[in-house]
Amino acid sequence: MTNNNLVFDAIIIGSGMGGLVTATQLAAKGAKVLVLERYLIPGGSASYFEQHGYHFDVGASMIFGLGKNGTTNLLTRALDAVNMQIETIPDPVQIHYHLPDGLDIKVDRVYDKFLQNLTAYFPQEARGIRRFYNECWQVFNCLNSMDLLSLEEPRYLMRMFFQHPLACFGLLKYLPKNVGDIARRYIKDPLLLKFIDMECYCWSVVPASMTPMINAGMVFSDRHYGGVNYPKGGVSIIAQKLVEGLEKLGGQIQYQARVKKIILEQGRAVGVELANGQIYRGKRIVSNATRWDTFGKLIPVEKIPNNEKVWQQRYEKSPSFLSLHIGVKSSVLPQHTECHHILLEDWAKMTAAEGTIFVSIPTLLDPDLAPPGHHIIHAFTPHWIDGWLGLSTNRYEAKKEAAAWRIIDRLEQIFPGLDAGLDYLSVGTPRSHRRFLGREDGTYGPIPRRKLRGLLGMPFNRTAIPGLYCVGDSTFPGQGLNAVAFSGFACAHRIAVDLGIGK
């Protein structure tokens, strides 16, 4: 079923943050854009669901990129591009760590206060701590001095090198480096190096030795520069406002529109076919799906380009998560509880299933998300899908319940009385993430199979198939809402140049 009048400048598969930023940036340049979303609402892992008066964020509530200054506030810039604004609530502490060996450390929004908190545990490393985190600032300052667009566009690169030569050379220096290499220059204490591992793992899902320094420079510095800011009304408001702006500019979005395949003609991507048989044609096709869903499902295995096969040899799927969306009585939370927590009791289990527990309590910032007298606790921990496959309904539900209570029992360490104060509990598994987010094995994104040279192995937006682009966490610079927004800006910029629009 084809309508020859339905020819778009760009068709975006998926309305995750990378896809929406690509779509809105192109629409703002005058492109005719269509977004196809398989689910009922936009946002992907930045969407929401409601139950029993609670408004739950599907994914994490720790949001970077909503600051007001500089160029790295990419979510703010994406909203501004379509004349949309949202109210945000600043979070005074990025993370409260509860770690082995008695490490109880808060990452304060104020940089020097954070350094004081950390140095109190490692006074002998005071100079090394400051030198390491100051070097992260060097990376951030390079990024924050220029517009972040497509590194595949020669004229942009030439302009940046001409306007910001020192910043560009600085980024080139750090591009092949990982955090562990830098940290070990300044820090010798093995326990402190384990803390740096956790600082990386909590957002990159790999230790410092495998975490690119460019990404760390952004995260470790922006939490003190633009800060962590929570959107009033929940994380999903970002996607909703981007869609509103897209539609005001004439762009279109269709829901319950599952793309079955990308149409290739003479080796070029020229359109998509939906599960219902509807065909749309476009000058450029953008996949916001994972690399594994794009190459192997939307593109058949026999047509996967060689460079994609090489990429899959270098990177593997990170684990998914077991997610607990919990409603509790307000009395459960001690006074002065922070919004975000990391709990780990054994360093050896940091990367294991159910090793590290991540906690977000967004109602400490926006109480309206829960019924009066109650709070939301979103707790999640890494899990691989393999252990959840091939189970009968009864065994699946029993396994969910057993895993959930193991997590709740551990959370009692920091929230005494959690069990007794429980009002609502919903448990999501890797199967849930695969089903609702349409991600292969429910994966969080790609992680290196072995230590690589920083970000040099991460692909940009163009693919080896003419007319086909990728955006999101399977492209440079990787995972996180602000990172995939960067990918969206870059993808839209490259497509606009290729189409000769928005000059």
Side-chain angles (χ1 to χ4, degrees):
M1 181 165 54
T2 307
N3 186 336
N4 290 325
N5 293 322
L6 298 178
V7 178
F8 294 88
D9 291 316
I11 296 173
I12 289 84
I13 303 167
S15 68
M17 201 57 59
L20 286 178
V21 171
T22 303
T24 49
Q25 284 289 300
L26 285 171
K29 298 175 189 295
K32 185 178 180 181
V33 177
L34 172 66
V35 179
L36 297 169
E37 168 55 49
R38 60 183 287 156
Y39 195 49
L40 303 169
I41 54 176
S45 59
S47 60
Y48 75 100
F49 69 96
E50 293 179 333
Q51 288 289 341
H52 298 272
Y54 294 95
H55 180 104
F56 292 105
D57 296 327
V58 168
S61 304
M62 187 190 299
I63 308 302
F64 296 89
L66 287 173
K68 297 179 180 178
N69 301 312
T71 63
T72 58
N73 54 343
L74 295 170
L75 296 176
T76 297
R77 290 177 57 206
L79 290 162
D80 286 346
V82 289
N83 298 311
M84 292 288 140
Q85 289 79 40
I86 61 174
E87 180 183 350
T88 61
I89 306 153
D91 190 348
V93 171
Q94 182 218 4
I95 297 179
H96 185 178
Y97 288 108
H98 311 264
L99 302 176
D101 299 295
L103 295 185
D104 190 274
I105 297 169
K106 294 184 180 182
V107 180
D108 199 276
R109 191 181 186 109
V110 178
Y111 180 55
D112 283 333
K113 191 171 180 181
F114 160 59
L115 294 187
Q116 290 170 13
N117 294 343
L118 185 56
T119 302
Y121 285 91
F122 303 97
Q124 76 284 5
E125 292 278 13
R127 185 167 179 264
I129 288 170
R130 184 170 288 276
R131 291 181 70 190
F132 166 67
Y133 283 104
N134 280 355
E135 186 148 349
C136 293
W137 274 101
Q138 292 178 31
V139 177
F140 177 78
N141 290 335
C142 291
L143 290 165
N144 201 39
S145 67
M146 63 183 77
D147 287 335
L148 301 178
L149 297 172
S150 177
L151 301 182
E152 298 180 279
E153 209 282 282
R155 284 175 296 179
Y156 161 74
L157 291 176
M158 290 176 63
R159 188 169 73 251
M160 289 302 102
F161 266 100
F162 180 76
Q163 295 174 350
H164 310 283
L166 295 179
C168 289
F169 282 116
L171 291 176
L172 282 175
K173 180 177 84 170
Y174 288 110
L175 194 62
K177 297 186 183 298
N178 292 314
V179 178
D181 302 326
I182 307 298
R184 282 173 172 76
R185 287 183 193 168
Y186 305 120
I187 295 168
K188 304 304 178 188
D189 188 295
L191 183 57
L192 180 53
L193 289 171
K194 288 179 181 178
F195 174 77
I196 301 296
D197 276 336
M198 177 57 84
E199 278 262 82
C200 293
Y201 179 77
C202 69
W203 50 270
S204 71
V205 208
V206 288
S209 63
M210 299 172 73
T211 299
M213 187 62 182
I214 295 281
N215 299 50
M218 178 79 87
V219 173
F220 292 164
S221 305
D222 192 39
R223 62 191 181 185
H224 308 292
Y225 179 83
V228 173
N229 300 282
Y230 188 75
K232 176 73 174 172
V235 173
S236 60
I237 198 73
I238 304 172
Q240 292 168 21
K241 287 293 185 180
L242 287 173
V243 168
E244 183 181 341
L246 172 70
E247 292 180 329
K248 284 184 176 179
L249 290 170
Q252 299 179 40
I253 184 167
Q254 285 189 25
Y255 300 106
Q256 295 182 287
R258 184 173 69 84
V259 175
K260 183 173 71 173
K261 69 177 182 180
I262 293 170
I263 299 170
L264 302 180
E265 292 180 358
Q266 297 180 328
R268 183 179 187 86
V270 297
V272 299
E273 181 179 346
L274 304 189
N276 65 5
Q278 176 71 57
I279 290 174
Y280 293 103
R281 300 183 73 84
K283 298 174 185 176
R284 296 294 187 273
I285 310 299
V286 181
S287 177
N288 191 197
T290 73
R291 217 85 188 179
W292 295 276
D293 290 289
T294 303
F295 296 100
K297 293 182 179 177
L298 300 179
I299 298 292
V301 172
E302 63 272 15
K303 294 187 178 179
I304 297 178
N306 286 332
N307 67 325
E308 294 296 334
K309 295 176 183 177
V310 171
W311 182 85
Q312 292 189 18
Q313 292 169 2
R314 292 176 177 169
Y315 288 85
E316 62 184 337
K317 288 168 280 190
S318 72
S320 184
F321 289 100
L322 177 79
S323 297
L324 278 62
H325 289 91
I326 307 170
V328 299
K329 296 176 182 176
S330 297
S331 57
V332 168
L333 301 183
Q335 271 194 324
H336 310 300
T337 297
E338 305 299 346
C339 180
H340 297 103
H341 301 256
I342 298 286
L343 173 63
L344 176 67
E345 299 92 342
D346 183 350
W347 289 113
K349 296 181 179 178
M350 184 181 78
T351 62
E354 295 187 30
T356 300
I357 299 177
F358 306 79
V359 177
S360 292
I361 314 172
T363 43
L364 289 170
L365 301 174
D366 186 356
D368 294 340
L369 300 175
H374 292 77
H375 276 295
I376 286 171
I377 297 178
H378 179 201
F380 49 105
T381 187
H383 254 261
W384 280 263
I385 199 168
D386 295 353
W388 296 93
L389 300 175
L391 302 176
S392 67
T393 300
N394 288 341
R395 286 182 62 202
Y396 179 64
E397 292 300 325
K399 182 167 183 171
K400 282 171 59 176
E401 183 176 3
W405 285 107
R406 287 196 299 271
I407 301 305
I408 290 172
D409 287 345
R410 289 171 62 192
L411 290 177
E412 288 269 354
Q413 298 173 52
I414 50 179
F415 308 124
L418 174 59
D419 184 355
L422 205 64
D423 178 60
Y424 174 83
L425 173 63
S426 174
V427 183
T429 72
R431 280 171 52 175
S432 312
H433 289 84
R434 181 180 65 180
R435 175 187 174 193
F436 291 107
L437 301 179
R439 296 178 67 87
E440 173 88 358
D441 294 345
T443 180
Y444 174 66
I447 56 176
R449 293 181 182 272
R450 60 187 182 280
K451 182 179 177 181
L452 300 175
R453 298 185 63 205
L455 277 174
L456 289 180
M458 280 298 282
F460 295 116
N461 301 107
R462 287 191 295 187
T463 74
I465 296 177
L468 177 62
Y469 302 70
C470 285
V471 72
D473 52 38
S474 290
T475 62
F476 182 94
Q479 295 102 333
L481 280 192
N482 208 31
V484 298
F486 185 164
S487 173
F489 273 94
C491 188
H493 177 215
R494 181 65 260 182
I495 291 173
V497 170
D498 290 345
L499 292 177
I501 61 174
K503 293 181 179 179

